[in-house]
PDB file of all heavy atoms in Angstrom:
ATOM      1  N   LEU A  22     -21.395  -0.265  -4.756  1.00 75.00           N
ATOM      2  CA  LEU A  22     -22.607  -1.068  -4.972  1.00 75.00           C
ATOM      3  C   LEU A  22     -23.643  -0.809  -3.879  1.00 75.00           C
ATOM      4  O   LEU A  22     -24.842  -0.750  -4.164  1.00 75.00           O
ATOM      5  CB  LEU A  22     -22.255  -2.561  -5.012  1.00 75.00           C
ATOM      6  CG  LEU A  22     -21.538  -3.055  -6.259  1.00 75.00           C
ATOM      7  CD1 LEU A  22     -21.141  -4.510  -6.087  1.00 75.00           C
ATOM      8  CD2 LEU A  22     -22.410  -2.899  -7.487  1.00 75.00           C
ATOM      9  N   ILE A  27     -22.796   4.692  -8.427  1.00 67.00           N
ATOM     10  CA  ILE A  27     -22.636   4.400  -9.847  1.00 67.00           C
ATOM     11  C   ILE A  27     -23.836   3.586 -10.304  1.00 67.00           C
ATOM     12  O   ILE A  27     -24.333   2.723  -9.581  1.00 67.00           O
ATOM     13  CB  ILE A  27     -21.329   3.621 -10.101  1.00 67.00           C
ATOM     14  CG1 ILE A  27     -20.127   4.478  -9.715  1.00 67.00           C
ATOM     15  CG2 ILE A  27     -21.204   3.183 -11.533  1.00 67.00           C
ATOM     16  CD1 ILE A  27     -18.799   3.787  -9.865  1.00 67.00           C
ATOM     17  N   SER A  28     -24.276   3.860 -11.500  1.00 72.00           N
ATOM     18  CA  SER A  28     -25.404   3.123 -12.064  1.00 72.00           C
ATOM     19  C   SER A  28     -25.090   1.633 -12.102  1.00 72.00           C
ATOM     20  O   SER A  28     -23.959   1.223 -12.339  1.00 72.00           O
ATOM     21  CB  SER A  28     -25.684   3.638 -13.476  1.00 72.00           C
ATOM     22  OG  SER A  28     -26.641   2.833 -14.102  1.00 72.00           O
ATOM     23  N   HIS A  29     -26.090   0.817 -11.897  1.00 70.00           N
ATOM     24  CA  HIS A  29     -25.891  -0.634 -11.883  1.00 70.00           C
ATOM     25  C   HIS A  29     -25.429  -1.166 -13.234  1.00 70.00           C
ATOM     26  O   HIS A  29     -24.841  -2.240 -13.311  1.00 70.00           O
ATOM     27  CB  HIS A  29     -27.170  -1.349 -11.439  1.00 70.00           C
ATOM     28  CG  HIS A  29     -27.457  -1.196  -9.988  1.00 70.00           C
ATOM     29  ND1 HIS A  29     -26.699  -1.824  -9.023  1.00 70.00           N
ATOM     30  CD2 HIS A  29     -28.396  -0.480  -9.322  1.00 70.00           C
ATOM     31  CE1 HIS A  29     -27.171  -1.512  -7.825  1.00 70.00           C
ATOM     32  NE2 HIS A  29     -28.203  -0.680  -7.974  1.00 70.00           N
ATOM     33  N   SER A  30     -25.683  -0.422 -14.280  1.00 72.00           N
ATOM     34  CA  SER A  30     -25.228  -0.888 -15.594  1.00 72.00           C
ATOM     35  C   SER A  30     -23.716  -0.731 -15.752  1.00 72.00           C
ATOM     36  O   SER A  30     -23.108  -1.375 -16.610  1.00 72.00           O
ATOM     37  CB  SER A  30     -25.958  -0.122 -16.701  1.00 72.00           C
ATOM     38  OG  SER A  30     -25.668   1.254 -16.614  1.00 72.00           O
ATOM     39  N   TYR A  31     -23.084   0.108 -14.929  1.00 72.00           N
ATOM     40  CA  TYR A  31     -21.640   0.304 -15.008  1.00 72.00           C
ATOM     41  C   TYR A  31     -20.868  -0.460 -13.940  1.00 72.00           C
ATOM     42  O   TYR A  31     -19.650  -0.595 -14.039  1.00 72.00           O
ATOM     43  CB  TYR A  31     -21.283   1.789 -14.888  1.00 72.00           C
ATOM     44  CG  TYR A  31     -21.746   2.610 -16.059  1.00 72.00           C
ATOM     45  CD1 TYR A  31     -22.679   3.620 -15.890  1.00 72.00           C
ATOM     46  CD2 TYR A  31     -21.248   2.369 -17.330  1.00 72.00           C
ATOM     47  CE1 TYR A  31     -23.113   4.372 -16.960  1.00 72.00           C
ATOM     48  CE2 TYR A  31     -21.681   3.119 -18.406  1.00 72.00           C
ATOM     49  CZ  TYR A  31     -22.603   4.115 -18.225  1.00 72.00           C
ATOM     50  OH  TYR A  31     -23.035   4.855 -19.293  1.00 72.00           O
ATOM     51  N   THR A  32     -21.537  -0.942 -12.929  1.00 69.00           N
ATOM     52  CA  THR A  32     -20.813  -1.590 -11.831  1.00 69.00           C
ATOM     53  C   THR A  32     -20.157  -2.895 -12.274  1.00 69.00           C
ATOM     54  O   THR A  32     -19.140  -3.282 -11.699  1.00 69.00           O
ATOM     55  CB  THR A  32     -21.747  -1.876 -10.649  1.00 69.00           C
ATOM     56  OG1 THR A  32     -22.873  -2.617 -11.104  1.00 69.00           O
ATOM     57  CG2 THR A  32     -22.185  -0.596  -9.994  1.00 69.00           C
ATOM     58  N   TRP A  33     -20.666  -3.556 -13.271  1.00 73.00           N
ATOM     59  CA  TRP A  33     -20.039  -4.797 -13.719  1.00 73.00           C
ATOM     60  C   TRP A  33     -18.718  -4.521 -14.446  1.00 73.00           C
ATOM     61  O   TRP A  33     -17.901  -5.416 -14.611  1.00 73.00           O
ATOM     62  CB  TRP A  33     -20.977  -5.600 -14.618  1.00 73.00           C
ATOM     63  CG  TRP A  33     -21.291  -4.919 -15.920  1.00 73.00           C
ATOM     64  CD1 TRP A  33     -22.277  -4.008 -16.155  1.00 73.00           C
ATOM     65  CD2 TRP A  33     -20.606  -5.081 -17.159  1.00 73.00           C
ATOM     66  NE1 TRP A  33     -22.252  -3.587 -17.450  1.00 73.00           N
ATOM     67  CE2 TRP A  33     -21.243  -4.237 -18.102  1.00 73.00           C
ATOM     68  CE3 TRP A  33     -19.529  -5.854 -17.575  1.00 73.00           C
ATOM     69  CZ2 TRP A  33     -20.818  -4.146 -19.422  1.00 73.00           C
ATOM     70  CZ3 TRP A  33     -19.112  -5.764 -18.890  1.00 73.00           C
ATOM     71  CH2 TRP A  33     -19.758  -4.911 -19.799  1.00 73.00           C
ATOM     72  N   LEU A  34     -18.496  -3.265 -14.865  1.00 77.00           N
ATOM     73  CA  LEU A  34     -17.242  -2.910 -15.525  1.00 77.00           C
ATOM     74  C   LEU A  34     -16.102  -2.670 -14.542  1.00 77.00           C
ATOM     75  O   LEU A  34     -14.937  -2.711 -14.931  1.00 77.00           O
ATOM     76  CB  LEU A  34     -17.431  -1.654 -16.375  1.00 77.00           C
ATOM     77  CG  LEU A  34     -18.270  -1.804 -17.633  1.00 77.00           C
ATOM     78  CD1 LEU A  34     -18.483  -0.447 -18.274  1.00 77.00           C
ATOM     79  CD2 LEU A  34     -17.597  -2.748 -18.608  1.00 77.00           C
ATOM     80  N   LEU A  35     -16.410  -2.423 -13.274  1.00 74.00           N
ATOM     81  CA  LEU A  35     -15.367  -2.106 -12.302  1.00 74.00           C
ATOM     82  C   LEU A  35     -14.325  -3.219 -12.149  1.00 74.00           C
ATOM     83  O   LEU A  35     -13.129  -2.925 -12.113  1.00 74.00           O
ATOM     84  CB  LEU A  35     -15.990  -1.749 -10.955  1.00 74.00           C
ATOM     85  CG  LEU A  35     -16.715  -0.409 -10.928  1.00 74.00           C
ATOM     86  CD1 LEU A  35     -17.393  -0.205  -9.580  1.00 74.00           C
ATOM     87  CD2 LEU A  35     -15.771   0.724 -11.219  1.00 74.00           C
TER      88      LEU A  35
END
Side-chain angles (χ1 to χ4, degrees):
L22 287 174
I27 297 177
S28 172
H29 288 289
S30 62
Y31 293 117
T32 54
W33 65 274
L34 289 174
L35 289 175

